[in-house]
Amino acid sequence: MTAVLFLSNTMSDISPELVKQLRDKTSAGMMDCKKALVEAKGDLAAAETILRKKGAAAQGKKAGREAKEGVIGSYIHIGDKVGVLVEINCETDFVARNESFRSFVKDVTLQIAAANPLYVKRDEVPESILAVEKDVASVATKGKPPAVAEKIIAGKVDKYFATYCLLEQTFVKDDKKTINDLLASKIAELGENILIRRFTRFQVGETLPGQAAPAAEPEVEVTPA
């Protein structure tokens, strides 16, 4: 009884404004935000880290669950020069119609338009591409100890993943998060497995496989809404 009373008193010390700040940053539930702030003794940054870890744990637990519902999201950038289609899956039609889920889909389409990823996740990157990246990185390892050389090459490959794999890209609307962080928080919030299955990005004038480049390929800058 004493422990419960202590927890209640501690939670009452967390202001609603602070809870709202954390909720706006993470999209986590109100009570989850309050508990994280209690655990972090009111430290907003520490509470965000706590929620991100819990989101990652929830993502791991739900990863094996079947996700066959969802939506096809679309985005056409101002000027009609860049367009995106993405399929994002969840477990139930109820979540597929949820406003928070739809907001997540919109954020992902914007990310794809702005950051131009080539793959959803790292295991989709062909070995031939990774071999080229490792070969390029090896030039900077000459004369260095094997352990150092290995770290340089691993760093080069990780940078490639962070640039071209959607889940590892920095979120264009919040540079403290990756898209995988955003996905993990949404899984924790909605309680279902969510998968970014596939996407296509179109840009007017882009070079297609097997075709010659157009005379002048347009440069299109996409800024977050």
Side-chain angles (χ1 to χ4, degrees), residues 10-221:
T10 305
M11 291 187 74
S12 67
D13 292 337
I14 302 298
S15 71
E17 291 78 14
L18 197 59
V19 174
K20 185 179 184 303
Q21 284 184 54
L22 184 58
R23 180 172 170 75
D24 289 345
K25 290 187 72 176
T26 65
S27 297
M30 199 71 77
M31 282 306 297
D32 288 334
C33 289
K34 199 161 189 177
K35 288 176 182 177
L37 283 163
V38 169
E39 186 177 338
K41 296 181 174 59
D43 185 318
L44 190 64
E48 184 178 357
T49 299
I50 289 167
L51 286 175
R52 288 173 67 182
K53 287 179 179 178
K54 288 181 178 177
Q59 183 180 16
K61 288 178 182 177
K62 294 176 175 63
R65 286 169 28 178
E66 195 171 59
K68 288 191 172 181
E69 291 294 337
V71 297
I72 304 295
S74 63
Y75 173 78
I76 304 295
H77 189 56
I78 298 169
D80 302 330
K81 299 295 186 181
V82 173
V84 171
L85 285 173
V86 63
E87 178 182 353
I88 300 184
N89 301 128
C90 54
E91 296 179 43
T92 65
D93 185 57
F94 176 77
V95 164
R97 290 183 280 109
N98 180 279
E99 185 178 337
S100 181
F101 179 81
R102 294 298 180 111
S103 177
F104 170 69
V105 174
K106 184 179 178 181
D107 281 338
V108 172
T109 61
L110 178 62
Q111 178 75 27
I112 295 166
N116 195 13
L118 301 179
Y119 315 96
V120 175
K121 51 190 177 180
R122 63 171 60 194
D123 61 10
E124 295 177 359
V125 181
E127 282 299 325
S128 58
I129 297 293
L130 294 181
V132 171
E133 292 301 309
K134 290 175 182 178
D135 186 54
V136 171
S138 67
V139 174
T141 66
K142 290 180 179 178
K144 299 186 182 297
V148 174
E150 188 176 336
K151 285 183 178 179
I152 291 173
I153 293 172
K156 176 71 173 178
V157 172
D158 283 343
K159 185 176 180 181
Y160 183 89
F161 290 144
T163 303
Y164 295 110
C165 295
L166 174 62
L167 290 177
E168 301 192 32
Q169 287 183 334
T170 299
F171 184 27
V172 292
K173 291 168 70 173
D174 184 348
D175 62 9
K176 293 182 175 61
K177 295 180 182 177
T178 64
I179 295 300
N180 196 54
D181 291 334
L182 194 65
L183 175 62
S185 68
K186 199 58 59 176
I187 289 172
E189 177 192 349
L190 298 175
E192 287 196 4
N193 189 21
I194 298 172
L195 300 172
I196 302 174
R197 187 180 178 206
R198 55 184 170 171
F199 67 84
T200 301
R201 182 185 186 275
F202 301 96
Q203 180 168 329
V204 172
E206 66 186 342
T207 304
L208 301 178
Q211 293 186 354
E217 189 167 325
E219 292 286 334
V220 178
E221 182 179 350

